[in-house]
Amino acid sequence: MMTFLGSVWWLIVSLGVLVTFHEFGHYWVARRNGVKVLRFSVGFGKALWSRRGRDGTEYVLAALPLGGYVKMLDERDGAPVPPEQLSQAFNRKPVWRRMAIVAAGPAANLILCVALLWGMFVIGRPDYAPVVGHAERIAAEAGLQRGDTIEAVGDRETPTWNELQLALLPAALDRSDVELRVRDAGGDSERRTLALSQLSDELDDKQLLSAIGLAPRHALVPAVVGRVLPDSAAWGVLAEGDRITAVDGIRTDTFDQIGPLIQALGDSGGSGMIEVERDGDRLALEIVPRLTEDPERGEFWALGIQPQRGDPPPRDALQRYGPAAAVPAALRETAHLTGQLFGMIGRAFSGRVSVENTVAGPITIARAANAYAQQGPAWYLTILALLSLSLAILNLLPIPLLDGGHLLYYLIELVKGSPLSERAMVAGQYVGLALLASLMGLAFYNDILQLLYR
């Protein structure tokens, strides 16, 4: 219940901030160009609060917080415009002024994105260091080993594990090999090639990163028994809370080290000794692995134990800059995220990425905002910056009813030398309405799928 309420709250806060800045962009540039603004509304529907300013603008906070609008004086709205106010009507302004007013909304979101990322860098975003805890499959074939620090993917620096994942994802989606700059446990720097072209085309987009076989150090679980499965090889031998310190004389520190040692023990065809710490005592116990079959893994040797899960380890990396250095860092990050978002849009249109993983609805956004907010202010600023940038890009798409559609109309007007006919504009509005309805339907459909299959 608390997760649901938190998600609703952070959705309202996030949309409120993004919509307010977007509409303020339209409002501010309209006023600077001499256009009379009749209403500035955050949200749609019934007004919960309203106030009329000295400038004659009605400021409204409405019930449905899924958008907003700025209503300007315009002769095309049907209501008569007093002769003395005709010079303040939007439609009477030169086309380049109208274009500036329309483009100001997305521009405000772009500026907000930079400001939020600047704030994130100044506050400092805590994360985990990009240190390898375990490597298998493609990662192991590349020569990656426990303790390696991945410092860069291609030309992209990866100071944290989250940055590493974000850098690997586009290459994994494109099934393209990437070069890694790696510093091993001894401090030596070297280059490794991660053959992502080997990833199967049948893999779901959400499985790509795990299929690489790269596990972080912070995800390693101590070699402590959390549960012993009934009638298993370990039943009656090991107990919950046992810390396994060695298998057949080979030291173990983490749970993932136990599996390969058990396979080797089973392949040798005999019993082995497991050393454990139990209630302060050190014990050496004889055990015989049991051959087990799994639909995904096939046959393997197993003890029948599960790890003890505890709290995640403290974060050991921090992305932070001083106020001056954070400015170019925020600009670089905004440019990088813009390229990534356009890349995802291109992959969605080309079919390389499933649209269900590209178009998110309010439920998905609410859950993401809540999850990021729980990790601290810097992480919340990160998701808010990404949403602000996404809103700017979405509004610039050349779809009627969106800012990009209006800009398209005005570009045509510049070329023609006269406005589009009212009939053409009405037809465009219907097309835009249909496209937006389809997009919203897809977003809600994806939200429902996320709820059903999470």
Side-chain angles (χ1 to χ4, degrees):
M1 185 62 180
M2 292 303 296
T3 300
F4 171 76
L5 293 176
S7 298
V8 172
W9 165 252
W10 288 113
L11 176 67
I12 293 173
V13 171
S14 301
L15 290 181
V17 171
L18 300 180
V19 168
T20 299
F21 268 83
H22 182 91
E23 299 305 334
F24 181 77
H26 292 310
Y27 168 84
W28 190 83
V29 176
R31 291 292 306 275
R32 293 303 175 277
N33 282 278
V35 174
K36 182 177 179 60
V37 178
L38 303 178
R39 180 178 296 168
F40 183 120
S41 179
V42 176
F44 298 112
K46 183 179 179 181
L48 301 177
W49 173 88
S50 66
R51 182 181 68 84
R52 190 170 296 279
R54 293 180 179 179
D55 56 2
T57 301
E58 182 186 14
Y59 299 91
V60 177
L61 185 64
L64 190 60
L66 294 179
Y69 62 94
V70 168
K71 183 178 180 181
M72 290 171 271
L73 188 67
D74 197 313
E75 293 176 281
R76 296 169 298 180
D77 288 342
V81 177
E84 66 274 12
Q85 294 184 3
L86 284 175
S87 63
Q88 300 180 60
F90 176 79
N91 64 290
R92 291 288 183 111
K93 297 298 178 181
V95 64
W96 66 269
R97 288 183 182 267
R98 282 178 274 146
M99 292 179 71
I101 293 169
V102 170
N109 282 125
L110 183 63
I111 294 170
L112 177 62
C113 174
V114 175
L116 291 169
L117 290 174
W118 177 86
M120 180 271 290
F121 282 129
V122 170
I123 293 171
R125 186 174 64 186
D127 203 345
Y128 292 104
V131 180
V132 177
H134 177 70
E136 57 184 10
R137 298 189 293 276
I138 295 175
E141 292 174 9
L144 294 172
Q145 300 177 10
R146 181 191 298 265
D148 286 347
T149 300
I150 303 176
E151 298 179 321
V153 176
D155 297 328
R156 174 75 174 174
E157 298 289 330
T158 54
T160 66
W161 189 263
N162 181 68
E163 289 295 314
L164 171 62
Q165 289 186 305
L166 291 176
L168 286 176
L169 182 57
L173 290 170
D174 295 336
R175 307 300 196 273
S176 60
D177 299 345
V178 292
E179 187 179 66
L180 309 180
R181 190 176 79 238
V182 179
R183 178 167 44 84
D184 63 23
D188 296 326
S189 184
E190 52 192 19
R191 299 280 178 172
R192 301 285 186 182
T193 299
L194 205 56
L196 301 183
S197 56
Q198 296 181 15
L199 290 170
S200 171
D201 292 333
E202 304 301 321
L203 282 172
D204 183 82
D205 297 341
K206 297 177 182 178
Q207 299 174 327
L208 289 175
L209 291 180
S210 60
I212 296 172
L214 196 59
R217 179 180 63 183
H218 62 268
L220 296 178
V221 178
V224 178
V225 179
R227 183 187 175 207
V228 181
L229 300 179
D231 300 323
S232 64
W235 184 255
V237 180
L238 299 177
E240 293 181 8
D242 283 353
R243 178 178 292 274
I244 300 175
T245 57
V247 176
D248 215 23
I250 301 177
R251 177 178 171 177
T252 57
D253 297 306
T254 57
F255 203 87
D256 68 293
Q257 295 174 313
I258 299 173
L261 296 176
I262 295 303
Q263 302 312 306
L265 187 60
D267 291 339
S268 69
S271 63
M273 302 301 294
I274 285 193
E275 299 174 33
V276 302
E277 290 182 0
R278 181 185 297 171
D279 299 326
D281 298 326
R282 297 180 65 88
L283 306 174
L285 308 171
E286 185 176 8
I287 198 165
V288 181
R290 188 173 298 172
L291 194 61
T292 306
E293 187 171 356
D294 182 84
E296 294 184 1
R297 295 179 57 186
E299 289 188 343
F300 63 97
W301 297 97
L303 296 183
I305 58 174
Q306 295 177 349
Q308 184 181 74
R309 300 291 180 180
D311 295 330
R315 294 179 175 179
D316 54 1
L318 183 68
Q319 277 188 286
R320 176 183 283 173
Y321 296 92
V327 174
L331 291 171
R332 287 194 304 269
E333 188 66 13
T334 300
H336 174 72
L337 290 175
T338 301
Q340 295 290 78
L341 286 172
F342 275 111
M344 290 298 290
I345 293 173
R347 292 184 185 96
F349 276 107
S350 66
R352 284 181 291 168
V353 176
S354 172
V355 290
E356 68 183 60
N357 296 324
T358 306
V359 182
I363 298 174
T364 301
I365 294 172
R367 291 168 56 194
N370 183 50
Y372 273 70
Q374 301 309 312
Q375 299 183 66
W379 279 97
Y380 178 64
L381 292 180
T382 301
I383 187 66
L384 198 58
L386 183 59
L387 290 174
S388 187
L389 182 59
S390 301
L391 184 60
I393 293 174
L394 175 66
N395 270 279
L396 286 175
L397 294 178
I399 299 175
L401 297 182
L402 295 180
D403 294 331
H406 291 292
L407 288 173
L408 178 62
Y409 287 159
Y410 300 143
L411 284 173
I412 294 173
E413 182 178 338
L414 278 176
V415 174
K416 286 183 59 197
S418 62
L420 279 174
S421 67
E422 185 174 343
R423 181 178 179 181
M425 294 184 69
V426 170
Q429 301 299 328
Y430 280 117
V431 172
L433 187 61
L435 289 173
L436 286 180
S438 300
L439 191 63
M440 291 177 63
L442 177 61
F444 278 107
Y445 173 75
N446 289 341
D447 276 351
I448 294 171
L449 285 183
Q450 292 286 339
L451 290 175
L452 290 176
Y453 298 110
R454 65 175 177 174

